[in-house]
Amino acid sequence: MNNITQLKDNGLKVTGPRLKILDLFETHSEEHLSAEDVYRILLEDGIEIGVATIYRVLTQFEQAGILLRHYFESGKAVYELNKGEHHDHLVCVKCNTITEFHNPEIEALQDKIAEENGYRIVDHALYMYGVCGDCKKKEKH
């Protein structure tokens, strides 16, 4: 699906800033970007979009389901492209590297715990914080 179709299908008017921001997330699809990251990357590419517009577009994209928002340890909102697949996150507390993973055993255990407590899970997010392999190596030196 192209970007224009994706915006229209989500009830959003096709504008230059929206197209540029959506394109940025598609070209950085493995990253989790803050509004400041988006602003900096666009500026580096010679594209000037105001920070207020970026915040507004990110909120609209989140509401439309195009982006997912997370608050990792920094407490600052970061966004990633919604690829339609559930995954969880490992976050390094030293360098802020984010590793995505999916584990069927963890998913089954969460469902079991919810059921045992009379719940039906409608959504969840698992963030695990630790020290990544690269930072562990640096600590030893």
Side-chain angles (χ1 to χ4, degrees):
M1 176 185 317
N2 73 29
N3 290 351
I4 293 173
T5 304
Q6 188 171 5
L7 290 174
K8 286 182 178 178
D9 286 353
N10 282 288
L12 294 170
K13 195 167 140 185
V14 178
T15 65
R18 286 184 182 141
L19 285 171
K20 294 201 182 331
I21 292 170
L22 183 54
D23 182 57
L24 182 144
F25 274 94
E26 288 178 344
T27 58
H28 292 81
S29 65
E30 299 305 312
E31 296 179 53
H32 297 75
L33 303 172
S34 68
E36 293 80 13
D37 295 330
V38 171
Y39 178 74
R40 181 185 42 77
I41 293 167
L42 290 172
L43 215 51
E44 287 170 1
D45 292 343
I47 300 165
E48 288 193 41
I49 298 175
V51 177
T53 299
I54 291 170
Y55 275 104
R56 190 170 49 256
V57 170
L58 293 177
T59 300
Q60 291 165 343
F61 283 4
E62 179 195 2
Q63 291 170 344
I66 296 169
L67 297 179
L68 299 172
R69 179 177 53 179
H70 302 282
Y71 292 99
F72 296 124
E73 190 166 84
S74 69
K76 179 171 59 171
V78 292
Y79 299 84
E80 68 174 317
L81 205 53
N82 183 355
K83 299 172 193 161
E85 307 158 350
H86 171 75
H87 59 271
D88 296 305
H89 298 86
L90 285 163
V91 182
C92 180
V93 297
K94 299 274 187 187
C95 69
N96 295 317
T97 295
I98 299 166
T99 303
E100 297 178 349
F101 71 95
H102 180 267
N103 183 301
E105 292 175 51
I106 291 174
E107 299 303 314
L109 183 57
Q110 290 173 133
D111 289 339
K112 181 178 182 260
I113 292 167
E115 188 177 316
E116 287 171 353
N117 288 281
Y119 282 76
R120 176 181 55 85
I121 295 176
V122 294
D123 192 17
H124 81 277
L126 175 62
Y127 305 127
M128 296 191 301
Y129 298 94
V131 179
C132 72
D134 289 341
C135 289
K136 282 189 340 191
K137 287 177 195 168
K138 291 175 188 171
E139 286 176 347
K140 292 180 182 178
H141 291 102

